[in-house]
Amino acid sequence: MARRVSRIPALNLAWLILLLLIFLFSTFMISSCSSPLKKIPRLRILQRPINYRNHSTSVAAHQRLRSFYYDQTLDHFNYQPGSYATFQQRYMVGFRHWRGAHAAAPMFVYLGAEESLDESVGSIGFLTDNAPRFGALMVYIEHRYYGRSIPSRPNLEDVCNATSLGYLNSAQALADYAEIILHLKRNLSAEASPVIVIGGSYGGMLAAWFRLKYPHIAVGALASSAPLLYFDGITPTDGFHSVVTKNFREVSESCYNTIKQSWSEIDRIAVDQDNGLDILTEKFQICEPLEDGDELELKDYLELTYVTASQYDDPPTYPVKQFCNSIDSAAARGNNIIDQIASAVNVTRRRKNNNDQCLDLTSELRQSDDPSDGWNWLWQACTEILMPIGRQTNETMFPAEPFDMNSYTEMCNNLYHGARPRPHWITTYYGGHHIRRTLERFASNIIFSNGLRDPFSVAGVLTNISPSIVAVTTMQGSHCLDILPARKDEPRWLVVQRNIEVGIISGWIRNYYRDLRIFSFEK
């Protein structure tokens, strides 16, 4: 059985959204390539606009990190002369707690995902919280093509160029990590130091895959909220939205029913009612008046709101509960369905945006950071990281929007001038089908941690596979919550989850040192 911690008393957009992944849902309007796509989903660990967390201790640690740049090989898997080109890949190192190479002290290595390290290091608490206990070196490595680790481009238009993005994939990223870790160990004379890799969401998949592909470099991996089974038909396409629906329904049956009924009400008002778009503009306090067809954008925003609240349903605020409380309070005042939804949306928006007086739909559906990062993630989703998320029926609280592989392929082909998705490649290269049988025989030392309120947990490893491939789940946990900075006010079940993970890692390191002594003696 998996180690489950519970509270002790207790894209589709059918085919236009690529995938509702990872870590933060953030989007931006596309203008530089011809495409009907209006939203670019991103996989991130943290969703600051929905649920702000105090990361003061991690930010202070960030200020003590030293930044370095490594001359990274552009193409690890090709020996043509052009493949030996290099680019500057950024990584950061924290030496403060490291007991040193003479003690073979461990290295905790955070594997960056589809965002800048500037965002990651202030949000990842697992390293800063546990490095003192282990005397560990803290290392953060930026993923190629993100942040400052981008191969040279003459201009932003190259984000649409499949040739310039051809070196962006997970296998190249794992090889990058391997080179930098070995480079560090050589430079620090720390060849005997054990390495533990840590990642969340897409980075969690990378951590697990790194342990599988490079077991001679990392002795273990903590893969937080890693949906590595959402590929190639392993997980039902509607699994993600089914968990979102379950979360809302568990909090309030009436809230769930209101949301489920609201989609047709929005359509009815927008299409059938005189001045319907003006009515919706006023009720949702939208900055710019809605025009014909803009109700689709409003529904996109509402879906994003519900999904994000569910994915990052963190203590102590629990956004799903807050949202449903607002809906139910409006219902108690006798408001109709749309007024209930609008009331909850407006309260939530003002809470997160410092009392903004109106809803800027364009701003909410636009990415706030470097747009090239969004295009790079879209490239990955259009090639190998293809998660067929859709809704075959209307059994969730969302309208039915089936995943359509043909439309998805056509969209990617138009975006990247000939690029085609490879839906079977992830399971071919890393595995996934029959994962229990495979990992039990051929793998070791991986923690798969999941909060079951995270919609991506439906595609996670939720049961123990072997004594050293362990699933640590929490009934009330959310996306990547366990690797964020510890807080004084966090619930007991989260403390227990983290303690279990730290205990497992301690065991890995003890076993490593035992083996190190045995092998040294045999020499």
Side-chain angles (χ1 to χ4, degrees), residues 181-237:
I181 292 170
L182 293 180
H183 166 77
L184 260 178
K185 296 185 83 170
R186 285 192 298 268
N187 280 4
L188 298 173
S189 300
E191 287 83 356
S193 292
V195 172
I196 305 295
V197 293
I198 296 124
S201 208
Y202 168 52
M205 293 190 282
L206 292 173
W209 292 337
F210 191 89
R211 171 60 184 164
L212 295 176
K213 294 296 186 181
Y214 297 93
H216 55 292
I217 296 178
V219 304
L222 170 56
S224 176
S225 298
L228 74 174
L229 300 181
Y230 226 135
F231 298 98
D232 205 7
I234 298 173
T235 297
T237 61

Side-chain angles (χ1 to χ4, degrees), residues 352-421:
K352 82 170 185 178
N353 291 337
N354 297 320
N355 294 315
D356 281 357
Q357 295 304 306
C358 66
L359 168 61
D360 186 343
L361 278 179
T362 300
S363 176
E364 291 292 338
L365 297 176
R366 176 188 292 143
Q367 180 135 292
S368 61
D369 60 355
D370 181 358
S372 66
D373 279 357
W375 278 104
N376 294 343
W377 178 245
L378 178 56
W379 164 263
Q380 290 192 261
C382 266
T383 51
E384 61 168 355
I385 309 296
L386 195 167
M387 296 185 172
I389 296 175
R391 302 184 293 271
Q392 300 303 119
T393 67
N394 61 354
E395 292 182 0
T396 69
M397 67 183 195
F398 302 94
E401 287 185 290
F403 180 83
D404 185 339
M405 188 65 207
N406 290 332
S407 298
Y408 189 102
T409 300
E410 181 181 359
M411 180 192 67
C412 292
N413 186 32
N414 291 336
L415 280 172
Y416 293 106
H417 315 300
R420 296 182 65 84

Side-chain angles (χ1 to χ4, degrees), residues 7 46 52-53 83 96 100 122 146 213 233 282 315 334 364 398 417 465 473 481-482 521:
R7 190 185 292 272
L46 188 67
Y52 177 77
R53 301 184 180 95
S83 300
R96 183 182 183 193
Y146 294 99
K213 294 296 186 181
E282 181 180 359
E364 291 292 338
F398 302 94
H417 315 300
I465 289 177
T473 64
L481 185 60
D482 57 314
F521 178 77

Side-chain angles (χ1 to χ4, degrees), residues 60-61 64 93-99 136-138:
R64 294 190 290 270
V93 183
F95 295 93
R96 183 182 183 193
H97 304 292
W98 195 41
R99 289 200 299 267
L137 187 74
M138 297 186 298

Side-chain angles (χ1 to χ4, degrees), residues 1 15 62 137 278 296 310 358 367 373 385 412 429 502 504:
M1 295 292 292
W15 52 276
H62 180 192
L137 187 74
D278 293 336
L296 300 178
S310 179
C358 66
Q367 180 135 292
D373 279 357
I385 309 296
C412 292
Y429 191 67
V502 169
I504 293 169

Side-chain angles (χ1 to χ4, degrees), residues 32 58 92 149 427:
S32 59
S58 286
M92 297 180 181
S149 300
T427 54

Side-chain angles (χ1 to χ4, degrees), residues 22-23 44-45 201 225 311-312 454 456 478-481:
I22 204 265
F23 97 43
R44 294 192 181 183
I45 291 173
S201 208
S225 298
Q311 186 170 340
Y312 305 97
D454 173 15
F456 285 113
S478 54
H479 195 62
C480 297
L481 185 60

Side-chain angles (χ1 to χ4, degrees), residues 46-62:
L46 188 67
Q47 168 58 305
R48 284 183 297 269
I50 290 294
N51 187 14
Y52 177 77
R53 301 184 180 95
N54 181 358
H55 299 303
S56 57
T57 56
S58 286
V59 171
H62 180 192

